[in-house]
Amino acid sequence: MANPPLTLLFDGACPLCRREVETLRGRDQGKGRICFVDIDAPDYDPAAHQGISYREAMGRIHAIGADGRVIVDVAAFREAYRLVGLGWLYAPTTWPLLKPVVDGIYGLWASWRLKLTGRADLQTLCARRENR
């Protein structure tokens, strides 16, 4: 598909991120509803992805809709899962009482993700990338 409904930027060096992508790919069943872009790949080009820098993409999940809009945080997961027929899993994250709690938990996860997965901190990863 030349212009998929969603392009999901993910950290290919993160074992949990890779597992999530594998789940989504499997559910997509080759239909091309989601294009997966590894931001950790040496050829990741922010200019080709709405200017989303490596630093931004590593800090929190980003997706890009077919219309070019940038979707971040839990909303990116919500859209990805909707596209593969599992939207019901994330539907409660839109409920007024639950949304701020889920958003807060995701914010904590995003800030701790690198450490929890045994990776260097964001500053170090960005410095390494610049020195490649």
Side-chain angles (χ1 to χ4, degrees):
M1 190 177 289
N3 195 15
L6 191 70
T7 298
L8 186 69
L9 308 182
F10 76 99
D11 177 5
C14 170
L16 297 174
C17 302
R18 285 194 316 266
R19 185 176 305 149
E20 188 98 25
V21 166
E22 291 302 317
T23 298
L24 289 166
R25 266 196 187 117
R27 291 291 302 189
D28 189 44
Q29 301 174 335
K31 295 179 181 168
R33 294 172 284 200
I34 304 172
C35 172
F36 300 95
V37 175
D38 181 358
I39 59 168
D40 197 53
D43 63 346
Y44 173 71
D45 179 12
H49 299 97
Q50 297 298 84
I52 300 166
S53 71
Y54 173 79
R55 178 180 295 279
E56 289 172 306
M58 287 294 286
R60 60 194 230 194
I61 190 85
H62 286 72
I64 304 164
D67 61 359
R69 79 190 152 95
V70 175
I71 308 164
V72 297
D73 301 337
V74 178
F77 291 111
R78 192 179 305 120
E79 182 63 9
Y81 276 78
R82 183 189 70 76
L83 286 169
V84 298
L86 294 175
W88 58 271
L89 286 172
Y90 275 87
T93 68
T94 64
W95 298 350
L97 293 176
L98 196 52
K99 185 178 185 314
V101 173
V102 172
D103 290 346
I105 291 169
Y106 175 78
L108 289 172
W109 162 251
S111 66
W112 295 340
R113 177 182 68 87
L114 294 171
K115 185 175 189 138
L116 291 173
T117 58
R119 311 267 308 285
D121 64 32
L122 185 57
Q123 239 359 63
T124 302
L125 290 175
C126 289
R128 286 180 190 161
R129 187 167 189 89
E130 289 172 12
N131 291 328
R132 283 187 192 167

